[in-house]
Amino acid sequence: SQQGEEDPQALSIQEGENATMNCSYKTSINNLQWYRQNSGRGLVHLILIRSNEREKHSGRLRVTLDTSKKSSSLLITASRAADTASYFCATGTSGTYKYIFGTGTRLKVLA
Amino acid sequence: GAGVSQSPSNKVTEKGKDVELRCDPISGHTALYWYRQSLGQGLEFLIYFQGNSAPDKSGLPSDRFSAERTGGSVSTLTIQRTQQEDSAVYLCASSQGQGAPQHFGDGTRLSIL
């Protein structure tokens, strides 16, 4: 199965609310990245967190990483309609080039 | 160009035909990736290039798939004798190296009739 699996598969919230997405993975990683994909477009890199980091912020984004639980979460605060997209986590392992992408969370922010 | 460019953006072809998909990475990016994304699904890794060499081709679904990269820049993904199950969006990404954020093109939407 996929190395990264996001939860929930779909999420619908009101504008202004916070959105939390989770990613679980199976093997040891070197880093974990989150990407956003708008419909019909390619993926856009949001944030990278390394295995020795626990939390990282970028604007309205907050990412946490718990290597003991092999999980990560992405929090989007004060969501906007423009945040409507699919969000994917991607895990990279040390010494390899291959990134494994999860199945994604489809976020819908209602205005 | 400023970003990763893929062509064509859409391709419709008959089963059994060969197709060639092109990717122009960001200038100076040594790493190049090809992925396949089926409708509503995640990304399936196909192949990775570091410069012109592909250290691992095991992600390619079958021997009908091949890819090359020349001059450390443009890459082409070729699918021979296309089948209906090849229908998907093929995404290309480039990065400055292992572990660096990947920059994606908008993909080629391939439809096999």
Side-chain angles (χ1 to χ4, degrees):
Chain A
S1 61
Q2 292 274 1
Q3 161 80 318
E5 296 191 359
E6 284 91 341
D7 164 60
Q9 290 187 337
L11 180 61
S12 186
I13 59 174
Q14 296 291 325
E15 206 167 29
E17 294 180 338
N18 295 341
T20 299
M21 289 157 263
N22 302 296
C23 169
S24 60
Y25 56 92
K26 293 180 169 58
T27 64
S28 295
I29 62 171
N30 176 261
N31 68 81
L32 186 146
Q33 302 182 27
W34 283 92
Y35 288 81
R36 183 188 74 222
Q37 184 180 35
N38 290 90
S39 180
R41 305 299 300 275
L43 280 71
V44 175
H45 179 262
L46 295 176
I47 198 164
L48 180 153
I49 187 165
R50 302 194 186 282
S51 60
N52 61 353
E53 297 176 310
R54 291 297 167 258
E55 188 171 312
K56 208 160 182 182
H57 297 254
S58 176
R60 293 183 297 113
L61 306 180
R62 173 178 167 248
V63 168
T64 61
L65 178 64
D66 187 334
T67 54
S68 67
K69 294 181 179 178
K70 291 187 169 56
S71 68
S72 174
S73 67
L74 171 67
L75 169 68
I76 304 174
T77 60
S79 62
R80 305 166 181 168
D83 295 329
T84 294
S86 290
Y87 292 81
F88 295 89
C89 67
T91 52
T93 54
S94 181
T96 72
Y97 47 85
K98 186 183 294 187
Y99 275 82
I100 306 298
F101 283 77
T103 50
T105 291
R106 294 186 306 279
L107 173 66
K108 188 170 186 178
V109 181
L110 304 170
Chain B
V4 177
S5 176
Q6 291 188 248
S7 61
S9 54
N10 285 282
K11 177 72 176 178
V12 181
T13 193
E14 293 180 345
K15 176 182 171 181
K17 299 286 189 184
D18 297 351
V19 295
E20 192 173 277
L21 312 180
R22 177 187 169 106
C23 173
D24 275 284
I26 292 173
S27 178
H29 279 192
T30 58
L32 187 147
Y33 301 78
W34 282 99
Y35 297 92
R36 180 168 70 176
Q37 185 177 32
S38 299
L39 187 63
Q41 299 298 308
L43 275 66
E44 175 189 2
F45 170 84
L46 298 179
I47 193 169
Y48 158 84
F49 286 92
Q50 178 60 39
N52 288 338
S53 64
D56 183 354
K57 301 178 181 179
S58 64
L60 296 176
S62 75
D63 59 9
R64 296 186 294 105
F65 287 71
S66 63
E68 64 175 16
R69 188 180 185 194
T70 55
S73 181
V74 172
S75 176
T76 55
L77 176 69
T78 301
I79 309 173
Q80 296 178 309
R81 305 181 301 283
T82 52
Q83 303 293 312
Q84 288 189 330
E85 61 263 29
D86 299 334
S87 296
V89 176
Y90 290 82
L91 292 163
C92 174
S94 69
S95 75
Q96 291 181 328
Q98 287 186 30
Q102 295 177 41
H103 299 259
F104 282 80
D106 285 337
T108 292
R109 184 175 300 276
L110 178 63
S111 299
I112 309 299
L113 303 178

